[in-house]
Amino acid sequence: MSFFKNIFSKEKKETLDKGLEKTKENFFDKLSKAVVGKSKVDDEVLDNLEEVLVASDVGVNTTLKIIERIEERVAKDKYVSTNELNKILREEIAALLSETNSGNESDFTIPDNKKPYVIMVVGVNGVGKTTTIGKLAAQFHKRGFKVVLGAADTFRAAAIDQLQIWADRTGVPIVRQEMGSDPASVAFDTLKSAVSQNADVVIIDTAGRLHNKVNLMNELTKIKRVMQKVVADAPHDVLLVLDGSTGQNAFEQAKQFTKATEVSCLAVTKLDGTAKGGVVIGISDQFQIPVKYIGVGEGIDDLQVFNKMEFVDSFFK
């Protein structure tokens, strides 16, 4: 088990443990019922485990993949006790997350060769998108990076005002226009401003909901195209923010946004208020997109860089 003996930041780990408490209690309560009276992993235990994983919002396809892997290990080892099940589950989930390059980072960093490093943030209204941007800006700013925010969600005055509050709180500049302005124009001005200020990071907020998927696709494509007039390879990341507490609904949102634009990484928020933390595993696996950040509380420091070892360790603690 040296595989899991990473040195975790004590404070970060305690926050993560606390944030995943509901998910963990729900999962282990169901798991203990699934193996009650059993000493070895057999077909019945695997059937029960399948139900537990699906009920924990891991998703049907990912659950079947995990069960298949455990079946292979049981067949190979001939006898696997129910006491070993936790260890095997833990290893297989970590391996699954590794396949999408999820959770390899341990701190808020930016690529050496991208300046400014441009993140375009997408997601439906209400998932914590603007809050995630604010917290992300705060974390980068705290580490000495020069950050510029772009309020390109011009469909809602509240989104612009909320981002302004975060910019003021964090002490980073924001580029904004009036509600109803062209979002691509805001993105263009933001990048021009960032380049002139020699900024390290640019975070662009975008509209959470347009009338239909074609509109959404056209809008995001236009924003990208206009940004590339200033920074040729922008955006370097398209970050999709999902509300972890919505469980299966988050899968549907991921499906819609991955059709509308090339999502390169995920932030899963509100994990502290839900027992549906298994959604992190399922979404990462099903969409083959790495989870980069997770929200495990209200505070600025409760947006964490997702680290699979820490996550699995907290999940199975």
Side-chain angles (χ1 to χ4, degrees), residues 11 18 45 95 103 119 147 152-153 162 186 189 195 232 249 266 291:
E11 209 173 307
K18 192 165 178 284
V45 167
I119 308 167
V147 184
D153 181 356
Q162 196 186 351
V186 178
D189 288 352
V195 169
N249 193 27
L266 304 170
V291 177

Side-chain angles (χ1 to χ4, degrees), residues 30-46:
K30 288 177 178 154
L31 187 61
S32 59
K33 287 173 184 163
V35 299
V36 70
K38 293 280 188 176
S39 59
K40 72 170 207 161
V41 176
D42 57 16
D43 288 346
E44 191 186 343
V45 167
L46 289 171

Side-chain angles (χ1 to χ4, degrees), residues 129-149:
K129 181 164 56 83
T130 312
T131 303
T132 298
I133 292 168
K135 290 180 179 180
L136 206 47
Q139 293 292 357
F140 282 128
H141 182 66
K142 193 159 71 167
R143 283 155 182 79
F145 295 115
K146 194 167 189 181
V147 184
V148 176
L149 299 180

Side-chain angles (χ1 to χ4, degrees), residues 184-203:
S185 164
V186 178
F188 180 84
D189 288 352
T190 306
L191 262 65
K192 288 285 274 189
S193 175
V195 169
S196 72
Q197 293 178 60
N198 198 29
D200 300 298
V201 184
V202 180
I203 310 175

Side-chain angles (χ1 to χ4, degrees), residues 10-21:
K10 187 166 179 281
E11 209 173 307
K12 180 188 175 190
K13 191 63 170 58
E14 282 170 0
T15 304
L16 184 62
D17 289 347
K18 192 165 178 284
L20 291 178
E21 216 160 7

